[in-house]
Amino acid sequence: MRRLFVLFFCLISLHLHAQEQQLAYQYYRNGEYEKAIDLFQSLHETNPYNTSYTNYLIDCYQQLEKFEEANILIHNQLKKLPNQDYLYVELGYNFQLQKNEASAKKYYDQAIDRIRKNPNEVYNISNSFEKKVLLDYALKSYQTAVALVPTFNFNYQIALLYGQLGNTEMMISTFL
């Protein structure tokens, strides 16, 4: 009987956790960022290694122009998980939203430097740049990785970025 109770309790708690997650995503999609923050904060606290919750929480703070809260969260995540190099892009973007271009550039350059230390980080870092529509930095991140590891083949991604930047000549050249 006791095992049945424990099993029932576990199933109920999993169901409630899933509902909380779905509700947080729903609030986010509806632009109800204050409500989403409450739920993502709770989800983040129970599972701080889930980068999805962290990313949504950062975005909610930025949407509400709570830049200091986003900054604190990003720095705390970097302390907990120093290998999440894409967070340097988030830090830079947080400063860019505040019109602090010098600090933004500093963190974007740090993200590129992280690729120099570990070229495999190009996937996460370039993806973060692309999500923020920082196409020049995304291009630079791919080019940096290819310069370090010539066997990397990012021609397709580089060509697409050239196309998005309006440089059709380089796009065609890279595709060919």
Side-chain angles (χ1 to χ4, degrees):
M1 183 69 171
R2 186 173 183 205
R3 285 185 177 168
L4 185 61
F5 177 73
V6 170
L7 179 65
F8 180 72
F9 180 75
C10 288
L11 289 174
I12 292 296
S13 65
L14 283 174
H15 181 69
L16 291 176
H17 180 75
Q19 282 183 330
E20 184 179 28
Q21 180 181 350
Q22 288 177 344
L23 189 57
Y25 289 131
Q26 185 64 40
Y27 283 144
Y28 179 84
R29 281 190 298 273
N30 291 341
E32 299 177 66
Y33 300 113
E34 285 290 346
K35 293 177 183 177
I37 283 174
D38 293 336
L39 292 172
F40 281 123
Q41 184 68 42
S42 170
L43 291 165
H44 174 72
E45 287 170 3
T46 58
N47 192 355
Y49 300 104
N50 185 324
T51 58
S52 178
Y53 299 150
T54 307
N55 293 338
Y56 276 103
L57 190 53
I58 292 167
D59 194 46
C60 287
Y61 284 139
Q62 290 172 340
Q63 291 292 334
L64 295 172
E65 298 181 0
K66 294 183 176 188
F67 301 119
E68 188 57 34
E69 288 91 337
N71 195 30
I72 291 168
L73 176 62
I74 296 167
H75 279 292
N76 288 341
Q77 278 302 109
L78 279 169
K79 286 178 190 170
K80 283 183 213 170
L81 302 165
N83 63 339
Q84 289 186 333
D85 295 328
Y86 76 93
L87 287 173
Y88 290 102
V89 176
E90 291 294 338
L91 268 173
Y93 190 68
N94 202 45
F95 283 104
Q96 183 175 333
L97 291 173
Q98 298 173 66
K99 309 285 190 249
N100 185 342
E101 296 299 323
S103 293
K105 183 182 178 334
K106 175 182 126 183
Y107 285 110
Y108 294 153
D109 290 340
Q110 275 187 316
I112 299 293
D113 286 340
R114 302 300 284 198
I115 293 171
R116 288 186 184 98
K117 291 178 184 167
N118 183 2
N120 289 324
E121 284 299 315
V122 68
Y123 299 103
N124 293 327
I125 292 171
S126 61
N127 190 31
S128 286
F129 281 130
E130 287 182 59
K131 284 181 182 176
K132 303 296 184 193
V133 195
L134 299 165
L135 304 180
D136 287 322
Y137 281 103
L139 182 62
K140 186 176 180 181
S141 64
Y142 285 124
Q143 290 169 335
T144 301
V146 169
L148 293 168
V149 183
T151 57
F152 279 173
N153 184 355
F154 294 114
N155 288 342
Y156 180 76
Q157 291 88 345
I158 291 171
L160 288 178
L161 288 168
Y162 278 132
Q164 290 174 321
L165 290 167
N167 191 340
T168 54
E169 184 177 311
M170 284 301 294
M171 178 186 76
I172 293 169
S173 171
T174 305
F175 270 134
L176 297 176

